[in-house]
Amino acid sequence: MANSSCVTEFFLLGFSSLGDLQLVLFVIFLCLYLIILSGNITIISVIRLDHSLHTPMYFFLSVLSTSEIFYTIVILPKMLVNLLSVLRTISFVSCASQMYFFLGFAVTNCLLLGVMGYDRYAAICQPLHYPILMSWRVCGQLAATCIVNGFLISLAGTTLVFSLPFCGSNKVDHYFCDISPVIHLASAETYINQLVIFICGILVLVVPLTCICISYGFIVSTILKIPSTEGKQKAFSTCASHLIVVIVHYGCASFVYLRPSAKYTSGKDRLVTVTYTIITPLLNPMVYSLRNKDVQLAIRKMLGKTGFSVKTS
């Protein structure tokens, strides 16, 4: 590539402006990272081992948790190393690879959340047809479609960024190779590239979110027709966890990606990006384990088999 004759590596500024506070951030982020890994691994293990959780909803949750694990592995280990290091360089190829895998898993997560919304619609609004609408074959196809499309879209976005020449500054004002801070360093006109990336962002974020909103419109309408209060609460409880994750994930991602790249502001973007690269993967297992009685029961059973005792309320 022509770029290799100019910039061969990038310098990730990250949180370097915070000075000695970086050590505090390292401890905080390391603890959060370990909780993310242990939480998501627990969710995957519980769903795999407990046959009562072998349903489409928990299948998609396990796929989402797996994606979240790899999603954080792409970013957080390098960020943690850089918090303790003076030399925060990343090679040109590594930067492109990091962006590709980050976007791939991020887009996959967006699509999975959309599919999970459809699953809740089918379960609540079409209960008689649910076994056909969400058969294991259909679930596998939907999950595979999310993953394949996620990485195809990521490939397009990463190519649009790294096909540009980089012959000027190599200082990325971020803690990983995200689209906006990297494309700002390009030594050519980027309007068309940014426009195509913006359109891809709309497709990835707005289309699944619209489908989720439509699904929940039908869900709310169906739940309100349930005569018993207990039935309404049970139906709403199965959707609440999904909705919390959707609001945080789509809200933060929309703030960063659904706007012109020219309005990129490093300080605010870093803060919001921390939310959806650390808080959302942390929130996912916490929300589903704290709010979902089926998962709580399965965790107690698993802990019981390993010799731990857990008090039940």
Side-chain angles (χ1 to χ4, degrees):
M1 295 174 67
N3 295 339
S4 62
S5 63
C6 298
V7 171
T8 58
E9 63 181 14
F10 292 99
F11 187 84
L12 298 171
L13 295 178
F15 300 96
S16 57
S17 60
L18 298 179
D20 293 338
L21 284 175
Q22 290 179 96
L23 182 58
V24 177
L25 286 179
F26 172 82
V27 175
I28 293 172
F29 289 153
L30 177 61
C31 291
L32 292 176
Y33 182 44
L34 294 176
I35 294 171
I36 289 169
L37 290 179
S38 59
N40 281 291
I41 289 172
T42 299
I43 290 289
I44 295 166
S45 301
V46 166
I47 292 172
R48 182 179 178 84
L49 295 173
D50 195 306
H51 291 285
S52 67
L53 299 182
H54 290 184
T55 64
M57 181 175 76
Y58 294 112
F59 166 73
F60 290 119
L61 176 58
S62 65
V63 176
L64 179 64
S65 290
T66 303
S67 180
E68 295 278 24
I69 289 173
F70 287 107
Y71 173 73
T72 53
I73 286 174
V74 171
I75 299 170
L76 296 189
K78 179 66 175 175
M79 182 188 75
L80 290 170
V81 170
N82 287 346
L83 283 170
L84 298 179
S85 174
V86 176
L87 190 65
R88 300 182 176 90
T89 57
I90 183 170
S91 70
F92 187 90
V93 174
S94 295
C95 186
S97 298
Q98 186 183 58
M99 184 181 292
Y100 169 70
F101 285 107
F102 162 72
L103 291 176
F105 289 116
V107 175
T108 296
N109 291 348
C110 287
L111 299 178
L112 281 171
L113 288 171
V115 169
M116 291 171 76
Y118 171 73
D119 171 69
R120 291 299 81 211
Y121 159 77
I124 295 172
C125 301
Q126 303 288 336
L128 298 178
H129 297 96
Y130 184 69
I132 298 173
L133 291 174
M134 299 303 294
S135 66
W136 286 116
R137 181 180 178 183
V138 171
C139 290
Q141 290 173 341
L142 287 172
T145 299
C146 291
I147 296 168
V148 171
N149 286 339
F151 281 92
L152 285 176
I153 293 170
S154 173
L155 179 62
T158 306
T159 301
L160 284 167
V161 173
F162 286 93
S163 61
L164 295 164
F166 291 86
C167 296
S169 173
N170 69 337
K171 294 181 179 179
V172 179
D173 196 7
H174 211 11
Y175 59 87
F176 72 99
C177 292
D178 203 359
I179 293 174
S180 291
V182 173
I183 206 169
H184 269 76
L185 302 179
S187 306
E189 178 57 53
T190 62
Y191 174 76
I192 298 298
N193 302 61
Q194 290 185 39
L195 179 61
V196 175
I197 291 170
F198 179 71
I199 292 170
C200 288
I202 291 176
L203 293 174
V204 167
L205 292 170
V206 175
V207 173
L209 184 57
T210 301
C211 292
I212 291 171
C213 291
I214 293 171
S215 296
Y216 275 99
F218 285 113
I219 288 170
V220 171
S221 176
T222 301
I223 290 175
L224 292 176
K225 295 176 184 177
I226 298 175
S228 68
T229 304
E230 185 181 349
K232 289 179 181 178
Q233 290 178 345
K234 185 177 180 180
F236 272 122
S237 67
T238 63
C239 301
S241 303
H242 177 248
L243 274 176
I244 292 170
V245 176
V246 164
I247 291 169
V248 175
H249 185 90
Y250 280 94
C252 297
S254 297
F255 176 84
V256 174
Y257 296 107
L258 293 187
R259 60 179 177 159
S261 186
K263 293 187 177 181
Y264 167 73
T265 52
S266 60
K268 288 183 179 179
D269 277 33
R270 266 199 301 270
L271 181 61
V272 176
T273 307
V274 164
T275 303
Y276 72 80
T277 56
I278 298 177
I279 304 303
T280 303
L282 178 68
L283 187 70
N284 181 40
M286 289 183 66
V287 165
Y288 277 98
S289 61
L290 292 176
R291 292 189 57 88
N292 194 295
K293 292 182 180 179
D294 292 335
V295 175
Q296 289 177 11
L297 181 60
I299 290 174
R300 291 189 189 111
K301 286 164 62 179
M302 189 175 77
L303 290 175
K305 289 178 181 178
T306 58
F308 291 96
S309 62
V310 181
K311 291 183 179 180
T312 57
S313 55

